[in-house]
Amino acid sequence: MSIFVNNNKNLEFHLTNNKISYIITVLKNNQIGNIYFGKAIKHRESFDHLMINRCCVLAPYNFEDDMDFSLETTRCEYPVFGKGDYRKEAFNIKDENGSTVNYPTFVSYSIYKGKEEYSKLPSTYCENEEDITTLEILLEDKVQKYQIILKYHLFENYGSISRSSKFINLSKHKLELNKALSFNLDFDSNNFNLLTLDGAWTRERHINERALLPGIIQIESLRGASSANHNPSLILKDKNTLDENTNDAYGFSLIYSGNFEANVQVDTYNTTRVQMGINSSTFKWILSPNETFQTPEALICFSNNGINGLSNTFHRTIENHIIKSKYKNKVRPILLNNWEATYFNFTEDKLLQLASKAKEVGVELFVLDDGWFGERNDDTSSLGDWYTNTSKLPNGIGELAKKIKDIGLKFGLWFEPEMINIKSKLYKENPNWVISTPNRESCFGRNQFVLDFTNDEVVEYIYSKMSIIISDTKLDYIKWDMNRNITEPFSNLLSKDQQGEFFHRYILGVYKLYEKLTKEFPNVLFESCASGGGRFDLGMMYYAPQAWCSDDTDAIERLKIQYGTSLVYPISTIGSHVSAIPNHQVGRNTSLKFRSDVAYFGTFGYELDITTMSNEEIEKIKDDIKFFKEYRELIQFGDFVRLESPFKGNTCSWMVISKDKKTAILAYYKILATANPPLNKIKLKGLDNNLLYKIENNHFYGDELMNVGFNLEIPFNGTARSEYYKGKITTGTDFGDFTSQLYIIKAE
Ligand code: DGJ
C-alpha cells in the first residue's frame, strides 16, 4: 500500500493498494481535481495524460488565455460555488460581507502512517498503524481566511478509502459554515445504475435501483436520525450488469447517525457527481476565530466483482476498522428477548420462567425489554425514570439480574436514553429538558418527547442514572432504543445564530453518551435500535456492534430486509430473532424451520414465549441452537454472497463461505409453492475450484458447483415421484408455501 506523489508540473497523489487506485491532482487553478478512482492501475510518473480538459462553449473559464480550463466540466475533489462549476458545491461559507463565493487553493500536504480518530465523532480507526495511510491536503482561501484539510485514509487490506474535511477559521471574525459535506467524488460518465436502501418502519432497507439520467437524485433525512426511510449509503454499479458478481461497483456509506444528505448528480455532459454529508438544509455552523469544524467521515469502497464483491469489502472494512467493541470479530451471544413474548405485561416470575426455559434450550443471554422502570405499564409514561418498576419487580432490577445470572445466563436491559414522557418524575423536575420551539405547539409521537441532548447536563444526568443500573445489575448487554424523531428542533441553550447547529449538536450528544458508557463499561454489548432499523448506520456501529434490524420479525418480510441490509452491513451486525406465529406484524404463519433458517443469518435469537411451546417445538429449538453454535462463526464472519434476490422473484438464496473455503452453507428460501416447477439450478460462488465438497450424500468439485451449478430439490412434481407422497416430507415444513433448505457444504 502506498501513497505516491508525482512532483511534476502538477502535483499528483496516487493512493493505491493492490485493489484500488485513487488518483488526484493539484489543478492548474490550484484546486484539487480527480483523475481516477477504480480498480488498481500501475503507478507511473505522471497521469497528466488521463486528465480531460475540454472546452465547452459558453462555459466560464478561469484563465483568460485558456478556454479549456473550466470548472464546469472538471472532476473536482471538493467543489466550490461561484467559480464556474454549476453543479452542486461540497461546502459553502458565507463571508462577513455576505458573499458565498469560496475559492480555497492548495497550500501543502502531509502523508503519514495510521490515522487519528476524530474527536467527538465515530470514525474509522486502526490498531496497527500499518493498516491505514493518511493523506491530508491543506487548502486556504486567502480572501475569506479559512483553511480546509481534505483527509484521505487508505486501508491496507481492502478496496476502501475514507474521506472527510476539516475547516479552520483563520479570520478575526465569525464565519457562517452553511454546508460542509464529507466528500465529493466526480466520475466522467453516467454509465451507472444507482442503488439505494429505502423504506419505512417495518420495511427498512428495501433495494431500489435505477439508471442515472441528467438531474439530481437526493436521499436524505431531516428527522434527527439517519432513518428507516433512507439509509445513508449509496451504491453505483456498471449499467446493464444484471448479476451481483461482475463489473465495477462503488459504495459510499456515511459514518453518521443524524440528518444526512446523499446526492447523485448527472450533468448534461454526462458526468456524475456523488456527495454525502450532514444535511445542509438543517445546518449552519458558526465558526469563531481559530475554531475548527470536523465533518463526519464517509467510507468509500470499490470492487470489480460486482455488488457481492463490494459488500464483502464493506463487511471486512466495517468489521476491522469501524466496529470497536470488545465483540469486534467475536461471535454474538444467542439471546431471548421478552418483548414479543410479554410486551409490557410481565412479572418477575414470568421472566424467570422464560429465562429457565431459555437456559434449557441453549440460549446464552436474557434481555428484558421495555417496561422494567419507573411506572411503565404501557407506552404513555416513565421514559427518563431509570429506576426499577417495583410494581412489576418488587425485589428490584439488581435482584432479578442476579437470579438470571444464577440460572446461568447473561443479562441485558432495554433503555431509551434520549426520550422522556410527560408522565415521569424527570419531566416534573426538568420540564425544560424537552426539545420544543418557543410559542409553537409540539407534535406528538408515541406519547413521548425527545430530550435536549445538545445540553451536556442532560447527557451527564442520563449517564449517571444508566451507570447506576449497569453497575447494580452487572449488565452484559444494552438494547439502546430510539422511538421518535425530532420535531420543533430548537435548544434553549443555543443562541439565535446557533440554532442551525442544533441537529448536529444533538447527535454529538448521543455520541458523547455512547462514548462515556462504552469507555466506562467496555464489557457491555450494545445493540442499537430505533423502532427496529431506524438508525442502522456506521455511526452507531462504531459503538454498538449490532443493531435490531427491523420490528418486522416475519421471516418472509425479513428476506428482503436482511438481503438489502447485507449490501452494506456485515451479517454479525444484523439483529434477527425467531418470533411467534401468527406473526405479530403481518399475521403470517411460517414453520419454525423457516423462521430459524432466516434468523440464523444475523445475530440470532428468540423473541417469543418459549414457556408455552410444545415439546416437539422445544426439541427443534434445542437442535437449532446446537446447529447455530456449531456454525455461527462461519455465518457471522464468513464471506456472505447473495445468489437470488427476493426483490426479483419467488425465491431467495445466499451462502456463506469460510475463509479457508472448506465449509459453506447454502440457504435457499421459496416464498410460494408452485407445482411441477421448472428446473432450479443455482451456480454457487466463492468455493475452491479444486476441492471436493460433500453436500448431503453427493460429492462435487468446487468448479462443478460454481460452473455447472447445483440442482435444488423439487418437492412436488406429480404423485409418482413426489417426496411428499413417499411420506418423506410433511406439509408446512418442506412442502407448501414458505419453505427453506440449508445445505451444508464441506470439503472432504
Ligand atoms: C421498539 C423496538 O424496536 C422493539 O423491539 C421494542 O424494544 C419496543 N420499541 C419497546 O418499546
Side-chain angles (χ1 to χ4, degrees):
M1 170 173 68
S2 257
I3 298 185
F4 294 100
V5 182
N6 288 337
N7 215 335
N8 305 325
K9 177 176 77 158
N10 305 319
L11 211 50
E12 291 169 345
F13 304 93
H14 181 190
L15 294 79
T16 185
N17 53 27
N18 60 5
K19 299 189 170 62
I20 55 169
S21 281
Y22 191 100
I23 307 173
I24 55 181
T25 184
V26 178
L27 298 165
K28 181 174 177 180
N29 70 343
N30 272 329
Q31 293 200 302
I32 310 297
N34 188 296
I35 297 180
Y36 171 74
F37 173 43
K39 187 174 159 76
I41 57 174
K42 47 180 173 306
H43 184 67
R44 55 189 291 185
E45 281 170 8
S46 168
F47 291 105
D48 200 34
H49 56 288
L50 299 180
M51 278 302 279
I52 304 172
N53 283 333
R54 52 177 288 189
C55 166
C56 299
V57 178
L58 289 185
Y61 43 101
N62 301 73
F63 301 95
E64 197 175 358
D65 59 354
D66 184 0
M67 279 182 70
D68 286 344
F69 186 84
S70 168
L71 292 178
E72 176 154 333
T73 45
T74 300
R75 294 178 64 176
C76 298
E77 277 293 280
Y78 208 55
V80 295
F81 168 76
K83 294 295 292 179
D85 184 345
Y86 293 106
R87 295 162 292 180
K88 290 282 183 192
E89 79 274 30
F91 73 100
N92 200 275
I93 294 182
K94 193 168 176 187
D95 201 357
E96 247 197 338
N97 65 10
S99 160
T100 53
V101 176
N102 303 119
Y103 206 49
T105 51
F106 177 78
V107 177
S108 61
Y109 71 89
S110 64
I111 293 172
Y112 55 90
K113 287 273 170 215
K115 172 182 190 280
E116 277 174 27
E117 279 183 59
Y118 301 168
S119 115
K120 300 185 183 163
L121 278 168
S123 63
T124 64
Y125 69 94
C126 53
E127 279 157 3
N128 172 355
E129 66 170 28
E130 296 301 313
D131 289 346
I132 295 182
T133 307
T134 295
L135 164 68
E136 293 190 352
I137 296 181
L138 182 68
L139 309 175
E140 185 167 330
D141 188 329
K142 302 246 165 27
V143 174
Q144 277 182 278
K145 300 206 168 37
Y146 61 83
Q147 290 182 330
I148 302 177
I149 302 173
L150 301 182
K151 300 184 183 180
Y152 298 83
H153 308 291
L154 173 67
F155 297 86
E156 161 81 30
N157 298 315
Y158 313 105
S160 342
I161 61 161
S162 64
R163 286 187 55 188
S164 75
S165 311
K166 183 174 179 174
F167 294 81
I168 306 158
N169 183 358
L170 299 179
S171 79
K172 296 207 158 40
H173 52 263
K174 291 180 177 172
L175 291 173
E176 251 181 53
L177 188 52
N178 288 318
K179 183 176 190 179
L181 298 184
S182 297
F183 78 91
N184 177 96
L185 184 58
D186 289 348
F187 294 87
D188 51 17
S189 99
N190 70 334
N191 198 22
F192 301 113
N193 274 10
L194 168 67
L195 278 74
T196 52
L197 302 173
D198 318 294
W201 176 66
T202 62
R203 57 177 167 84
E204 298 90 338
R205 290 171 299 287
H206 280 212
I207 301 173
N208 283 306
E209 178 170 344
R210 68 290 247 173
L212 289 185
L213 294 170
I216 299 176
I217 296 174
Q218 180 180 66
I219 56 160
E220 64 170 359
S221 172
L222 297 168
R223 296 163 185 268
S226 51
S227 89
N229 307 68
H230 300 289
N231 191 260
S233 305
L234 297 171
I235 289 175
L236 292 180
K237 69 168 197 183
D238 265 6
K239 209 178 197 159
N240 306 324
T241 308
L242 292 178
D243 67 34
E244 295 201 38
N245 306 299
T246 50
N247 291 339
D248 291 351
Y250 302 82
F252 310 86
S253 195
L254 198 61
I255 309 175
Y256 192 59
S257 316
N259 286 354
F260 74 94
E261 63 178 81
N263 311 317
V264 182
Q265 179 173 23
V266 176
D267 73 358
T268 43
Y269 297 101
N270 287 351
T271 70
T272 300
R273 170 163 287 183
V274 181
Q275 303 175 322
M276 267 184 169
I278 296 176
N279 196 318
S280 43
S281 53
T282 50
F283 174 82
K284 181 174 83 170
W285 198 269
I286 304 298
L287 209 56
S288 295
N290 299 319
E291 271 185 3
T292 62
F293 181 85
Q294 171 66 56
T295 70
E297 191 180 350
L299 179 61
I300 303 175
C301 296
F302 169 82
S303 172
N304 68 324
N305 294 317
I307 300 180
N308 268 323
L310 185 74
S311 297
N312 195 267
T313 305
F314 264 127
H315 294 182
R316 296 294 173 253
T317 316
I318 294 166
E319 283 162 356
N320 291 292
H321 294 292
I322 291 185
I323 288 175
K324 233 194 151 195
S325 133
K326 181 188 148 196
Y327 281 89
K328 167 180 178 162
N329 288 324
K330 298 248 161 52
V331 294
R332 305 300 154 74
I334 300 169
L335 65 79
L336 179 111
N337 178 307
N338 75 310
W339 180 242
E340 287 198 13
T342 65
Y343 294 103
F344 292 104
N345 187 16
F346 56 81
T347 59
E348 187 184 286
D349 267 1
K350 180 70 195 175
L351 298 177
L352 291 172
Q353 280 166 27
L354 280 169
S356 300
K357 201 73 183 169
K359 175 68 190 170
E360 183 194 323
V361 296
V363 163
E364 297 155 323
L365 162 68
F366 180 82
V367 179
L368 174 52
D369 210 278
D370 196 351
W372 60 267
F373 52 91
E375 293 170 15
R376 185 134 165 123
N377 296 317
D378 55 30
D379 65 10
T380 61
S381 84
S382 303
L383 290 171
D385 293 347
W386 301 112
Y387 52 85
T388 310
N389 182 339
T390 42
S391 68
K392 286 186 199 172
L393 304 171
N395 302 316
I397 194 74
E399 191 54 29
L400 174 71
K402 189 173 170 305
K403 288 179 183 162
I404 301 271
K405 290 190 181 217
D406 286 346
I407 289 172
L409 293 172
K410 290 177 188 288
F411 183 60
L413 272 181
W414 180 96
F415 287 90
E416 197 174 0
E418 298 150 73
M419 298 292 154
I420 183 167
N421 285 114
I422 300 291
K423 275 208 269 175
S424 66
K425 284 205 175 131
L426 182 63
Y427 184 77
K428 276 199 193 96
E429 284 156 20
N430 294 289
N432 56 338
W433 281 4
V434 175
I435 292 171
S436 66
T437 300
N439 309 320
R440 301 265 176 219
E441 296 289 325
S442 291
C443 291
F444 300 92
R446 211 197 184 202
N447 308 303
Q448 65 194 53
F449 294 88
V450 188
L451 283 168
D452 184 359
F453 263 45
T454 70
N455 181 350
D456 258 359
E457 207 191 331
V458 175
V459 174
E460 289 299 332
Y461 173 87
I462 297 293
Y463 168 73
S464 67
K465 296 297 167 200
M466 288 180 74
S467 304
I468 293 170
I469 300 286
I470 298 171
S471 305
D472 191 26
T473 52
K474 300 192 177 57
L475 208 55
D476 299 297
Y477 162 106
I478 288 178
K479 178 176 174 187
W480 177 322
D481 205 348
M482 197 285 290
N483 288 302
R484 109 151 250 187
N485 290 142
I486 293 173
T487 55
E488 297 79 34
F490 186 86
S491 172
N492 302 318
L493 292 188
L494 298 174
S495 68
K496 179 175 85 178
D497 288 343
Q498 281 183 304
Q499 292 300 331
E501 300 178 8
F502 170 83
F503 274 110
H504 185 55
R505 285 189 185 275
Y506 174 84
I507 209 70
L508 291 182
V510 173
Y511 291 148
K512 184 170 180 189
L513 183 57
Y514 257 119
E515 187 74 38
K516 285 175 76 88
L517 289 169
T518 49
K519 282 247 157 68
E520 182 68 26
F521 303 103
N523 294 331
V524 174
L525 169 61
F526 282 80
E527 176 154 352
S528 75
C529 174
S531 308
R535 210 162 52 180
F536 208 113
D537 59 63
L538 297 183
M540 284 291 125
M541 230 152 257
Y542 175 82
Y543 303 104
Q546 56 194 60
W548 181 226
C549 186
S550 176
D551 272 356
D552 190 342
T553 57
D554 172 64
I556 290 291
E557 300 258 303
R558 274 296 188 117
L559 290 176
K560 284 185 176 165
I561 297 170
Q562 293 178 201
Y563 193 97
T565 304
S566 78
L567 253 53
V568 176
Y569 302 98
I571 301 308
S572 64
T573 66
I574 299 178
S576 52
H577 302 166
V578 172
S579 64
I581 51 166
N583 173 265
H584 294 195
Q585 291 76 42
V586 297
R588 184 180 284 125
N589 288 323
T590 51
S591 68
L592 192 52
K593 172 175 166 49
F594 191 89
R595 282 174 277 154
S596 307
D597 284 355
V598 176
Y600 287 145
F601 291 85
T603 57
F604 193 57
Y606 290 83
E607 187 159 338
L608 74 179
D609 188 350
I610 49 170
T611 63
T612 56
M613 296 179 86
S614 69
N615 288 341
E616 196 190 335
E617 286 173 315
I618 290 294
E619 289 312 308
K620 163 84 178 127
I621 289 180
K622 283 184 188 165
D623 288 347
D624 289 352
I625 290 181
K626 201 161 150 239
F627 165 83
F628 189 69
K629 284 179 179 166
E630 187 178 346
Y631 290 104
R632 77 177 136 181
E633 174 96 42
L634 164 67
I635 293 179
Q636 291 179 345
F637 298 102
D639 289 334
F640 183 81
V641 180
R642 292 171 302 273
L643 299 173
E644 289 178 296
S645 169
F647 294 96
K648 295 191 173 151
N650 187 37
T651 56
C652 169
S653 59
W654 52 55
M655 50 186 300
V656 278
I657 306 109
S658 65
K659 301 225 161 69
D660 64 6
K661 295 179 183 292
K662 289 192 172 150
T663 317
I665 300 176
L666 164 65
Y668 171 75
Y669 309 92
K670 190 161 67 174
I671 298 168
L672 294 179
T674 46
N676 194 16
L679 286 183
N680 194 359
K681 188 179 256 191
I682 298 187
K683 289 188 179 173
L684 306 193
K685 302 281 171 206
L687 300 170
D688 184 320
N689 277 326
N690 301 316
L691 286 179
L692 185 65
Y693 293 96
K694 186 173 178 198
I695 308 183
E696 296 177 327
N697 290 320
N698 298 311
H699 289 83
F700 308 88
Y701 277 106
D703 61 355
E704 293 168 348
L705 290 168
M706 294 192 290
N707 297 302
V708 184
F710 176 68
N711 274 315
L712 291 153
E713 281 170 25
I714 301 167
F716 178 84
N717 63 349
T719 50
R721 305 203 42 190
S722 167
E723 298 295 298
Y724 176 61
Y725 286 98
K726 289 183 207 159
K728 288 193 187 159
I729 51 176
T730 47
T731 310
T733 54
D734 300 322
F735 185 59
D737 292 341
F738 321 133
T739 55
S740 58
Q741 203 59 53
L742 294 191
Y743 298 93
I744 307 297
I745 303 169
K746 278 197 175 157
E748 289 280 90

